[in-house]
Amino acid sequence: MAGDNSAQVADDALRARKLTRAGLVRVELIPPPASASPFVTTFFRVQCDETEIRDVQPSSIGLVAVMARGSGHMHFLDGRVEASHPLMVLTPTSAATTFEVAGPWDAFGAMLSPAGWAALTGLSATVHGNRMMAAADVLPPRLVAACERLREEFGSLENHQMADLLCEALMPSLRRLPPGHAELIGTVAEWLAQSLSPELAELFARCRYGERQVQRLVERYFGLAPRTLARKYRALRAAVLLSRPGVTADDIAAVQDHFYDQPHMIREMRLFAGRTPARIADPDTPYLSAFLDLRDFSEGGSRMAPIPDDLRA
């Protein structure tokens, strides 16, 4: 993982600062058509009329965003601060990140799957992870042109029209992944889905590649080594489970059993989700709450790491 203890302390201090209040940030999620769902988790619209906006983005595969209004910067775990771009790509992140926007803020974009990131950029999620990059430096020209048009016509388009515009350019822009690599991405998703704490040996047993090649390919497409990837999805799914209304004592105990102890669970959630268990359902984290709603991990198909039926598996 990038960063050292001093960077973690500084990041925790930043996250402890007051975040934008609930209700001030409006997030709408627009599901992609079935043809795009293997590559796009969701389209989204984010709006806020405040002049100073601060929130947390949990660790993610990456996203494309058109910033129609507002500009900002993101704080990464290793202490780097990078500025936004009017047309930008947030590359896969290995930990939760804090962002600040000078508003008013109005943005539209697409959250990508591992296959979507790879097929659109052709870049390694490890080598190019934890960055905010200009879209023209990363995306195919046809998709960049669609983003430019979207920004020019932003005020006259409905959300579904913006999603359609991006989708029309996105689908022909996709690079074909090697069949074995596409199969591995699916295998990793199945492996993560079997348990909150899947065994690494089980992944290697499922793959046609040797252990060293599996390690390399998982890092390329997911931005993390398999063991750390399992930790990430354990923490994110635990955050979702603990934030659900009416979560039972049995479910809480089952989730806690996947961690060494409570301090370990708190550290992992803070690292990957950006919040401790006590603040996961905090109403003053609107963007984070919307992200976790999106990543409710309850659906199969192209969704990564759905929550298993047996939480003690």
Side-chain angles (χ1 to χ4, degrees):
M1 294 295 299
D4 55 19
N5 186 60
S6 61
Q8 178 71 68
V9 170
D11 192 60
D12 289 346
L14 179 66
R15 292 179 189 175
R17 295 167 60 187
K18 186 174 180 63
L19 302 179
T20 302
R21 288 190 297 108
L24 296 179
V25 179
R26 305 180 297 282
V27 182
E28 181 176 347
L29 305 177
I30 303 94
S35 59
S37 62
F39 310 101
V40 175
T41 305
T42 190
F43 293 101
F44 63 89
R45 174 83 176 270
V46 184
Q47 297 172 280
C48 184
D49 298 326
E50 297 297 293
T51 57
E52 295 182 4
I53 302 149
R54 181 181 296 110
D55 213 314
V56 176
Q57 164 98 22
S59 175
S60 66
I61 291 299
L63 60 84
V64 177
V66 176
M67 300 276 281
R69 292 198 301 165
S71 63
H73 47 270
M74 183 162 278
H75 299 256
F76 294 94
L77 186 62
D78 63 2
R80 285 179 302 108
V81 180
E82 294 199 0
S84 66
H85 305 269
L87 309 177
M88 73 174 189
V89 172
L90 173 63
T91 70
T93 52
S94 57
T97 52
T98 302
F99 64 86
E100 297 175 299
V101 176
W105 186 25
D106 200 348
F108 189 89
M111 291 185 175
L112 303 177
S113 70
W117 160 260
L120 283 176
T121 70
L123 301 177
S124 165
T126 303
V127 176
H128 299 277
N130 301 295
R131 296 285 309 280
M132 295 235 288
M133 304 177 73
D137 294 337
V138 181
L139 300 178
R142 181 168 182 168
L143 185 54
V144 174
C147 291
E148 291 172 343
R149 179 185 164 193
L150 191 156
R151 193 165 191 265
E152 291 170 0
E153 302 178 11
F154 204 93
S156 62
L157 297 174
E158 300 292 335
N159 290 347
H160 72 276
Q161 293 174 313
M162 290 192 278
D164 289 344
L165 193 160
L166 287 188
C167 223
E168 289 171 3
L170 183 148
M171 295 304 292
S173 299
L174 295 167
R175 300 170 173 86
R176 178 176 169 80
L177 299 182
H181 293 193
E183 178 184 318
L184 179 129
I185 291 172
T187 299
V188 171
E190 293 170 358
W191 169 67
L192 290 169
Q194 71 182 16
S195 170
L196 291 184
S197 302
E199 294 291 337
L200 195 57
E202 177 64 22
L203 173 63
F204 295 142
R206 290 170 178 238
C207 295
R208 66 167 71 180
Y209 301 107
E211 291 186 12
R212 187 169 299 179
Q213 182 78 335
V214 171
Q215 293 271 2
R216 186 182 67 81
L217 290 174
V218 171
E219 290 181 3
R220 173 178 173 179
Y221 289 111
F222 293 85
L224 294 168
R227 191 180 302 279
T228 309
L229 184 69
R231 286 175 51 206
K232 165 185 166 175
Y233 280 101
R234 178 181 61 186
L236 290 176
R237 291 181 291 180
V240 169
L241 284 162
L242 295 180
S243 68
R244 285 179 172 174
V247 61
T248 68
D250 285 346
D251 285 348
I252 293 173
V255 170
Q256 290 176 334
D257 283 347
H258 286 275
F259 299 87
Y260 297 124
D261 52 28
Q262 189 173 47
H264 176 230
M265 181 174 70
I266 290 171
R267 288 195 302 271
E268 293 288 275
M269 287 189 181
R270 187 171 58 200
L271 176 62
F272 294 109
R275 282 292 172 271
T276 62
R279 298 192 65 189
I280 286 296
D282 189 337
D284 289 332
T285 56
Y287 184 90
L288 174 63
S289 297
F291 184 95
L292 291 176
D293 285 345
L294 159 69
R295 302 294 298 277
D296 67 2
F297 301 98
S298 61
E299 300 180 19
S302 62
R303 287 296 173 97
M304 282 295 303
I307 293 172
D309 293 333
D310 182 3
L311 296 182
R312 297 187 183 277

